Amino acid sequence: VNPKDNNTFASASLDRTVKVWQLGSAQPNFTLEGHEKGVNCVDYYMGGDKPYLISGADDRMVKIWDYQNKTCVQTLEGHAQNIASVSFHPELPIILTGSEDGTVKIWHANTYRLETTLNYGLERVWSIGVLRGSNNVALGYDEGAILIKLGREEPAMSMDAGGKIIWAKHSELQQASLKALEKEEIQDGERLPLAVKDMGSCEVYPQTVQHNPNGRFVVVCGDGEYIIYTAMALRNKSFGSAQEFVWAADSSEYAVRESSSSIKLFKNFKEKKSFKPEFGAENIFGGALLGVKSVSGLAFYDWETQELVRRIEIQPRVVYWSETGELCCIATEDSYFILKYQSEAVAAAAENPEKVTEDGIEDAFDVLGEVSETVKTGLWVGDCFIYTNSVNRLNYYVGGEIVTVSHLDRTMYLLGYIPQDNRLYLGDKELNVVSFQLLLSVLEYQTAVMRRDFDTADRVLPTVPKEQRTRVAHFLEKQGFKKQALAVSSDAEHKFDLAIQLGDLDCAYTLAKESASEQKWKQLAELATSQAKFELAQQCLHEAQDHGGLLLLATAAGNADMVAKLGLQADQAGKHNVSFLSYFLLGDLERCLEILLTSNRIPEAAFFARTYLPSEISRVVEMWRVQLGKVNEKAGQSLADPKDYANLFPDYEASLQAQQMLAKERTKVIPAEDWKEIMANYERKPLEELNALADEEEMIDEVLDDKDHPIAGAIGLREELTGGEPSKLDTVGGITTEDLEAELEMDLDNLKLDDIDTTDVNLDDEELLED
């Protein structure tokens, strides 16, 4: 069916003709003759500029017809068997032909040059399917079908610094401007309602459209040629043959790659220099330096002298330069590198040729960062590199930090950034344009920080909106400027983390008080402890209800009052473990037992009483019987009480006496500084001490130090006194007889005999005489 007139259609026949018919008529309008054998297929050209038909026949020929003049305008030869299918592509300037020889040939629709031949080894080709609005092509074979994608996905469109966009729609160039839009009403990611203006038809089929840096000219490349137009009126300024075209940073300079070995440089539209790179030229890249990709890697050349600046062993896909020419992004298939161009080092090397190697100047670039991410399109704004990646995220890289601006719902291509609008503009392959807000003040601040220009950063900071301050603070933190980040951040959580990192107790205390978060109080307590601010640490631990931390702090400080208060608080808060341990450390065994009982841990209470408080065993056993009897009455009755079954509890009576002896000791507070002089509890044997005390009562008083504490080794002394080796008395337990005599003399010197009451002493007592 004719796309321009749905009432007419064409037919192909084995009678070697193509006939054009009118709906409702039994006779054809006209017949096209020229094939030598039967015609198998026919298709109309879908564009509006050419009244063409295409046909394929068993004579292995493909013919293009002008159906208005009823003439054959071109014959395509090259297939080895019958032609089974032909098609004009609706989007690309190509013709597709399929044959029984198993190949699909792609021809240029304007020059009729054979571009490529496809052979997938699936036997004969029978059909070719195309879809308007898509670059996809479906191919049908004897052995199956295959779907391929042709051409560039990226649209041929470009935007200048003022917001004027030029794009190619087929061979037509169109223009749209962002100036007429109401910027306040623009929503992120929404399609912009642009007024489109036709600029005219292009002599070549545009594959790329690109403004020069100042936006005055635009170059259109395609079909192995380039044409430079004035951006305003689309007047032809220059043209020539080129496989690739790139602009220099200077708007009047550009370069073209004519072949894989030749590059030409132009200035003010006149050829300036032609040179052949040493290793050939697969691709070229514009910017501050001319980049040439070859089998040896990427080589950068000076635009003026064409001297090699640096050769890098990398296979780039694209190279992006910042406006200042200081920063460069080299994007490969799976990652990108951020480099800093050292122009001073290059200038110095020009004066010292011995510093230049066969790979150029080694110090020409410094690598600032490497990111394992695929860059689809990118551009620089200041020192920030903005890009879209392979998973349709819009990100920007600055100072080693990657910030995600948006997650895109489809593949988008960057057009440019308009500082006055604080907006970034992107286009898709359907030529829709969308935008996203990206504040210039934030980018300027980050750029100033990267350049260590803090005066400029301080001037820009007040223009950064408060909701963006935290993002800026995270950036400062990553650059190592934590103090500045603390001053800038508006997020309380972030500020607290920074205050902790900086050791700023006052700021952290204020923030912790505002948040009333237990976790923050614990972090602050840890910081205060590390700075020996124990009062603050204690307060923080109280606020955090961290009884375990308080116990550690109190015991480390040897603060018995604090331990006592903690025991009471922990008990009230139901923290029985901390409360028990606090009272146990203080020697308040009765309170420990009560905690076990009130927390319903009666079996533990029974064993605790058996060990430390034998006088309480009967009471606890009775409670245990009641509790266990609820589960198993027989088991409950099997519990023995020492008052009923004394035979099962040897030394029970002695343990009661030992309890009384130790209870007197517990009433005395022992300073922590005396710990070296005190025998450890696990070394003491109270029952043996009790027996020894009874045996020695008439011989020697309990050996105590000047503070009435049991002296380490005293028990050993008793054993020696009662056990009988007089030769060891001199050095029992490390205490010599000289020490004992000296201590006795001191006691006698301090003794006031006048104060002694002797009224009850009977000097005639025989026992005294015997002694």
PDB file of all heavy atoms in Angstrom, residues 722-743:
ATOM      1  N   THR A 722      51.483 -24.819 115.252  1.00  0.00           N
ATOM      2  CA  THR A 722      50.852 -26.024 115.812  1.00  0.00           C
ATOM      3  C   THR A 722      51.482 -27.282 115.268  1.00  0.00           C
ATOM      4  O   THR A 722      51.397 -28.334 115.880  1.00  0.00           O
ATOM      5  CB  THR A 722      49.351 -26.025 115.472  1.00  0.00           C
ATOM      6  OG1 THR A 722      49.218 -25.934 114.065  1.00  0.00           O
ATOM      7  CG2 THR A 722      48.655 -24.850 116.111  1.00  0.00           C
ATOM      8  N   GLY A 723      52.066 -27.187 114.090  1.00  0.00           N
ATOM      9  CA  GLY A 723      52.569 -28.399 113.454  1.00  0.00           C
ATOM     10  C   GLY A 723      53.934 -28.806 113.920  1.00  0.00           C
ATOM     11  O   GLY A 723      54.291 -29.974 113.854  1.00  0.00           O
ATOM     12  N   GLY A 724      54.711 -27.924 114.316  1.00  0.00           N
ATOM     13  CA  GLY A 724      55.840 -28.342 115.070  1.00  0.00           C
ATOM     14  C   GLY A 724      57.206 -28.272 114.512  1.00  0.00           C
ATOM     15  O   GLY A 724      58.023 -28.891 115.101  1.00  0.00           O
ATOM     16  N   GLU A 725      57.601 -27.588 113.502  1.00  0.00           N
ATOM     17  CA  GLU A 725      59.003 -27.561 113.131  1.00  0.00           C
ATOM     18  C   GLU A 725      59.579 -26.223 113.558  1.00  0.00           C
ATOM     19  O   GLU A 725      59.472 -25.246 112.856  1.00  0.00           O
ATOM     20  CB  GLU A 725      59.177 -27.761 111.616  1.00  0.00           C
ATOM     21  CG  GLU A 725      58.823 -29.157 111.178  1.00  0.00           C
ATOM     22  CD  GLU A 725      59.191 -29.381 109.727  1.00  0.00           C
ATOM     23  OE1 GLU A 725      60.062 -28.664 109.211  1.00  0.00           O
ATOM     24  OE2 GLU A 725      58.593 -30.270 109.114  1.00  0.00           O
ATOM     25  N   PRO A 726      60.190 -26.143 114.720  1.00  0.00           N
ATOM     26  CA  PRO A 726      60.668 -24.871 115.261  1.00  0.00           C
ATOM     27  C   PRO A 726      61.689 -24.213 114.343  1.00  0.00           C
ATOM     28  O   PRO A 726      61.806 -23.003 114.324  1.00  0.00           O
ATOM     29  CB  PRO A 726      61.311 -25.243 116.589  1.00  0.00           C
ATOM     30  CG  PRO A 726      60.700 -26.564 116.951  1.00  0.00           C
ATOM     31  CD  PRO A 726      60.424 -27.251 115.672  1.00  0.00           C
ATOM     32  N   SER A 727      62.378 -25.007 113.573  1.00  0.00           N
ATOM     33  CA  SER A 727      63.421 -24.432 112.716  1.00  0.00           C
ATOM     34  C   SER A 727      62.844 -23.505 111.657  1.00  0.00           C
ATOM     35  O   SER A 727      63.549 -22.685 111.107  1.00  0.00           O
ATOM     36  CB  SER A 727      64.210 -25.549 112.029  1.00  0.00           C
ATOM     37  OG  SER A 727      63.328 -26.322 111.222  1.00  0.00           O
ATOM     38  N   LYS A 728      61.547 -23.645 111.324  1.00  0.00           N
ATOM     39  CA  LYS A 728      60.938 -22.819 110.282  1.00  0.00           C
ATOM     40  C   LYS A 728      60.255 -21.565 110.817  1.00  0.00           C
ATOM     41  O   LYS A 728      59.683 -20.809 110.075  1.00  0.00           O
ATOM     42  CB  LYS A 728      59.901 -23.632 109.482  1.00  0.00           C
ATOM     43  CG  LYS A 728      60.532 -24.747 108.691  1.00  0.00           C
ATOM     44  CD  LYS A 728      59.478 -25.433 107.862  1.00  0.00           C
ATOM     45  CE  LYS A 728      60.084 -26.563 107.029  1.00  0.00           C
ATOM     46  NZ  LYS A 728      59.078 -27.262 106.234  1.00  0.00           N
ATOM     47  N   LEU A 729      60.284 -21.382 112.134  1.00  0.00           N
ATOM     48  CA  LEU A 729      59.578 -20.238 112.698  1.00  0.00           C
ATOM     49  C   LEU A 729      60.202 -18.905 112.289  1.00  0.00           C
ATOM     50  O   LEU A 729      59.552 -17.876 112.325  1.00  0.00           O
ATOM     51  CB  LEU A 729      59.559 -20.323 114.230  1.00  0.00           C
ATOM     52  CG  LEU A 729      58.520 -21.293 114.808  1.00  0.00           C
ATOM     53  CD1 LEU A 729      58.735 -21.421 116.304  1.00  0.00           C
ATOM     54  CD2 LEU A 729      57.136 -20.839 114.487  1.00  0.00           C
ATOM     55  N   ASP A 730      61.469 -18.973 111.949  1.00  0.00           N
ATOM     56  CA  ASP A 730      62.132 -17.718 111.610  1.00  0.00           C
ATOM     57  C   ASP A 730      61.562 -17.068 110.340  1.00  0.00           C
ATOM     58  O   ASP A 730      61.570 -15.872 110.211  1.00  0.00           O
ATOM     59  CB  ASP A 730      63.634 -17.970 111.399  1.00  0.00           C
ATOM     60  CG  ASP A 730      64.305 -18.291 112.729  1.00  0.00           C
ATOM     61  OD1 ASP A 730      63.691 -17.962 113.752  1.00  0.00           O
ATOM     62  OD2 ASP A 730      65.415 -18.845 112.698  1.00  0.00           O
ATOM     63  N   THR A 731      61.081 -17.884 109.416  1.00  0.00           N
ATOM     64  CA  THR A 731      60.639 -17.327 108.120  1.00  0.00           C
ATOM     65  C   THR A 731      59.341 -17.942 107.675  1.00  0.00           C
ATOM     66  O   THR A 731      59.207 -18.391 106.561  1.00  0.00           O
ATOM     67  CB  THR A 731      61.703 -17.556 107.042  1.00  0.00           C
ATOM     68  OG1 THR A 731      61.948 -18.966 106.966  1.00  0.00           O
ATOM     69  CG2 THR A 731      62.984 -16.835 107.356  1.00  0.00           C
ATOM     70  N   VAL A 732      58.381 -17.993 108.542  1.00  0.00           N
ATOM     71  CA  VAL A 732      57.100 -18.574 108.161  1.00  0.00           C
ATOM     72  C   VAL A 732      56.301 -17.559 107.340  1.00  0.00           C
ATOM     73  O   VAL A 732      56.093 -16.434 107.778  1.00  0.00           O
ATOM     74  CB  VAL A 732      56.296 -18.994 109.410  1.00  0.00           C
ATOM     75  CG1 VAL A 732      54.927 -19.485 108.995  1.00  0.00           C
ATOM     76  CG2 VAL A 732      57.055 -20.050 110.161  1.00  0.00           C
ATOM     77  N   GLY A 733      55.869 -18.034 106.168  1.00  0.00           N
ATOM     78  CA  GLY A 733      55.020 -17.167 105.324  1.00  0.00           C
ATOM     79  C   GLY A 733      55.698 -15.872 104.964  1.00  0.00           C
ATOM     80  O   GLY A 733      55.034 -14.894 104.692  1.00  0.00           O
ATOM     81  N   GLY A 734      57.013 -15.838 104.944  1.00  0.00           N
ATOM     82  CA  GLY A 734      57.715 -14.615 104.553  1.00  0.00           C
ATOM     83  C   GLY A 734      57.841 -13.615 105.676  1.00  0.00           C
ATOM     84  O   GLY A 734      58.314 -12.505 105.479  1.00  0.00           O
ATOM     85  N   ILE A 735      57.403 -13.924 106.952  1.00  0.00           N
ATOM     86  CA  ILE A 735      57.474 -12.986 108.097  1.00  0.00           C
ATOM     87  C   ILE A 735      58.543 -13.512 109.049  1.00  0.00           C
ATOM     88  O   ILE A 735      58.419 -14.617 109.581  1.00  0.00           O
ATOM     89  CB  ILE A 735      56.116 -12.893 108.817  1.00  0.00           C
ATOM     90  CG1 ILE A 735      55.030 -12.467 107.820  1.00  0.00           C
ATOM     91  CG2 ILE A 735      56.190 -11.937 109.990  1.00  0.00           C
ATOM     92  CD1 ILE A 735      53.644 -12.539 108.382  1.00  0.00           C
ATOM     93  N   THR A 736      59.578 -12.765 109.268  1.00  0.00           N
ATOM     94  CA  THR A 736      60.684 -13.221 110.128  1.00  0.00           C
ATOM     95  C   THR A 736      60.380 -12.908 111.586  1.00  0.00           C
ATOM     96  O   THR A 736      59.533 -12.064 111.908  1.00  0.00           O
ATOM     97  CB  THR A 736      61.990 -12.524 109.738  1.00  0.00           C
ATOM     98  OG1 THR A 736      61.846 -11.126 109.974  1.00  0.00           O
ATOM     99  CG2 THR A 736      62.312 -12.749 108.256  1.00  0.00           C
ATOM    100  N   THR A 737      61.071 -13.600 112.487  1.00  0.00           N
ATOM    101  CA  THR A 737      60.884 -13.365 113.935  1.00  0.00           C
ATOM    102  C   THR A 737      61.329 -11.961 114.307  1.00  0.00           C
ATOM    103  O   THR A 737      60.772 -11.356 115.218  1.00  0.00           O
ATOM    104  CB  THR A 737      61.679 -14.402 114.736  1.00  0.00           C
ATOM    105  OG1 THR A 737      63.047 -14.373 114.296  1.00  0.00           O
ATOM    106  CG2 THR A 737      61.127 -15.795 114.525  1.00  0.00           C
ATOM    107  N   GLU A 738      62.343 -11.462 113.577  1.00  0.00           N
ATOM    108  CA  GLU A 738      62.789 -10.093 113.863  1.00  0.00           C
ATOM    109  C   GLU A 738      61.649  -9.104 113.611  1.00  0.00           C
ATOM    110  O   GLU A 738      61.466  -8.140 114.375  1.00  0.00           O
ATOM    111  CB  GLU A 738      63.987  -9.726 112.986  1.00  0.00           C
ATOM    112  CG  GLU A 738      65.285 -10.418 113.366  1.00  0.00           C
ATOM    113  CD  GLU A 738      65.386 -11.816 112.768  1.00  0.00           C
ATOM    114  OE1 GLU A 738      64.382 -12.244 112.141  1.00  0.00           O
ATOM    115  OE2 GLU A 738      66.427 -12.483 112.930  1.00  0.00           O
ATOM    116  N   ASP A 739      60.877  -9.337 112.502  1.00  0.00           N
ATOM    117  CA  ASP A 739      59.746  -8.445 112.203  1.00  0.00           C
ATOM    118  C   ASP A 739      58.719  -8.492 113.321  1.00  0.00           C
ATOM    119  O   ASP A 739      58.175  -7.466 113.737  1.00  0.00           O
ATOM    120  CB  ASP A 739      59.088  -8.834 110.879  1.00  0.00           C
ATOM    121  CG  ASP A 739      60.011  -8.577 109.706  1.00  0.00           C
ATOM    122  OD1 ASP A 739      60.907  -7.735 109.846  1.00  0.00           O
ATOM    123  OD2 ASP A 739      59.813  -9.229 108.648  1.00  0.00           O
ATOM    124  N   LEU A 740      58.426  -9.715 113.825  1.00  0.00           N
ATOM    125  CA  LEU A 740      57.427  -9.859 114.886  1.00  0.00           C
ATOM    126  C   LEU A 740      57.899  -9.189 116.186  1.00  0.00           C
ATOM    127  O   LEU A 740      57.122  -8.526 116.879  1.00  0.00           O
ATOM    128  CB  LEU A 740      57.139 -11.335 115.136  1.00  0.00           C
ATOM    129  CG  LEU A 740      56.410 -12.067 113.994  1.00  0.00           C
ATOM    130  CD1 LEU A 740      56.351 -13.560 114.302  1.00  0.00           C
ATOM    131  CD2 LEU A 740      55.011 -11.522 113.839  1.00  0.00           C
ATOM    132  N   GLU A 741      59.181  -9.344 116.491  1.00  0.00           N
ATOM    133  CA  GLU A 741      59.707  -8.734 117.724  1.00  0.00           C
ATOM    134  C   GLU A 741      59.660  -7.208 117.626  1.00  0.00           C
ATOM    135  O   GLU A 741      59.297  -6.521 118.581  1.00  0.00           O
ATOM    136  CB  GLU A 741      61.141  -9.206 117.960  1.00  0.00           C
ATOM    137  CG  GLU A 741      61.207 -10.674 118.396  1.00  0.00           C
ATOM    138  CD  GLU A 741      62.657 -11.180 118.467  1.00  0.00           C
ATOM    139  OE1 GLU A 741      63.556 -10.359 118.172  1.00  0.00           O
ATOM    140  OE2 GLU A 741      62.853 -12.368 118.789  1.00  0.00           O
ATOM    141  N   ALA A 742      60.038  -6.699 116.444  1.00  0.00           N
ATOM    142  CA  ALA A 742      60.019  -5.249 116.284  1.00  0.00           C
ATOM    143  C   ALA A 742      58.598  -4.712 116.415  1.00  0.00           C
ATOM    144  O   ALA A 742      58.368  -3.667 117.041  1.00  0.00           O
ATOM    145  CB  ALA A 742      60.592  -4.874 114.914  1.00  0.00           C
ATOM    146  N   GLU A 743      57.638  -5.420 115.856  1.00  0.00           N
ATOM    147  CA  GLU A 743      56.241  -4.982 115.955  1.00  0.00           C
ATOM    148  C   GLU A 743      55.766  -5.029 117.395  1.00  0.00           C
ATOM    149  O   GLU A 743      55.045  -4.158 117.866  1.00  0.00           O
ATOM    150  CB  GLU A 743      55.375  -5.870 115.059  1.00  0.00           C
ATOM    151  CG  GLU A 743      53.944  -5.359 114.929  1.00  0.00           C
ATOM    152  CD  GLU A 743      53.140  -6.177 113.910  1.00  0.00           C
ATOM    153  OE1 GLU A 743      53.750  -6.885 113.085  1.00  0.00           O
ATOM    154  OE2 GLU A 743      51.910  -6.071 113.966  1.00  0.00           O
TER     155      GLU A 743
END
